[in-house]
Amino acid sequence: MSSEVARITFAPGQALTSQFPALTAIPIQSTAPHTFSMNDTDASRNALRGTTIMEKLASIGVERGRVIDIRNLDAIGCDYGIGIYLFFEKKLATSRTLADVKVEYRDVPEYERPYVRVDRFLRFTKENDPSFAHTIEEFPLMIEIVAVGEMPDPATGSTAPFVTGLMPFLDEFDVDIDPVEQSQGRPL
């Protein structure tokens, strides 16, 4: 299922009821263009097997200790509306909660923090190194899952699911090991 947002845009005075008959019961008075969005990531996440976020993500292979290709993590984050964070320091990733780390580094510029969201990392890397996409095709960047959970989202007042992972260190790269075998023989 895609994480793309469905958008309906209409101009002032445009009759939506001809295209969407179900809207006839909803009075719409428009004087300016409007866009309605419906995001399907919550529905996708809720459709996963399990009752807790840990069970749901385990059903698709995302669990503590697992090693997963960074591209798969990015897709999972997009498809299921999950914040996926990469840590560059093992001690910080394993000894602190994501919420505590976010509070501690909230005033530090994004790319100077010891962690970053996977989508932001991939975008930044691709923009600054056009060969990066080709490089990770040949040598997949495998991320060790450190934690899966939920934390309060101050913007909405509800909880938001997250996954934290540890970036490999350069001395840990072994181009002779099959990434699927590295992922404990459980391909994603």
Side-chain angles (χ1 to χ4, degrees):
M1 197 170 275
S2 172
S3 66
E4 295 194 16
V5 176
R7 298 194 187 282
I8 303 170
T9 304
F10 61 96
Q14 180 181 358
L16 288 179
T17 54
S18 61
Q19 294 176 347
F20 304 98
L23 293 177
T24 56
I26 304 170
I28 299 176
Q29 298 296 321
S30 173
T31 57
H34 295 281
T35 300
F36 296 99
S37 298
M38 179 175 53
N39 196 322
D40 62 356
T41 58
D42 287 340
S44 296
R45 189 172 57 249
N46 290 335
L48 294 173
R49 285 179 284 131
T51 54
T52 67
I53 193 64
M54 292 176 74
E55 291 171 351
K56 288 177 178 294
L57 291 179
S59 77
I60 57 172
V62 179
E63 55 193 339
R64 189 169 190 244
R66 188 78 194 270
V67 180
I68 302 173
D69 187 315
I70 193 170
R71 295 166 294 174
N72 291 346
L73 284 175
D74 184 43
I76 289 166
C78 291
D79 291 347
Y80 297 102
I82 298 166
I84 301 192
Y85 296 86
L86 304 175
F87 278 76
F88 301 104
E89 298 176 14
K90 185 173 186 169
K91 185 176 180 180
L92 188 64
T94 59
S95 66
R96 307 271 304 282
T97 67
L98 176 60
D100 290 342
V101 172
K102 288 178 84 170
V103 168
E104 181 178 343
Y105 290 95
R106 71 176 163 243
D107 296 328
V108 176
E110 179 178 21
Y111 294 112
E112 294 177 22
R113 298 175 187 159
Y115 72 95
V116 66
R117 280 183 59 118
V118 71
D119 56 336
R120 302 282 296 152
F121 172 80
L122 289 172
R123 184 173 353 136
F124 177 82
T125 307
K126 288 174 184 175
E127 288 172 357
N128 290 288
D129 180 4
S131 68
F132 180 73
H134 178 70
T135 301
I136 63 173
E137 284 292 326
E138 288 187 42
F139 305 106
L141 184 53
M142 304 302 286
I143 307 300
E144 179 185 351
I145 303 303
V146 175
V148 175
E150 293 179 300
M151 64 182 188
D153 181 356
T156 64
S158 62
T159 58
F162 72 87
V163 171
T164 60
L166 184 61
M167 289 285 289
F169 298 99
L170 290 177
D171 62 346
E172 294 174 353
F173 279 105
D174 187 345
V175 295
D176 296 325
I177 292 179
D178 183 328
V180 173
E181 288 177 24
Q182 186 179 9
S183 184
Q184 303 165 352
R186 297 179 284 179
L188 225 181

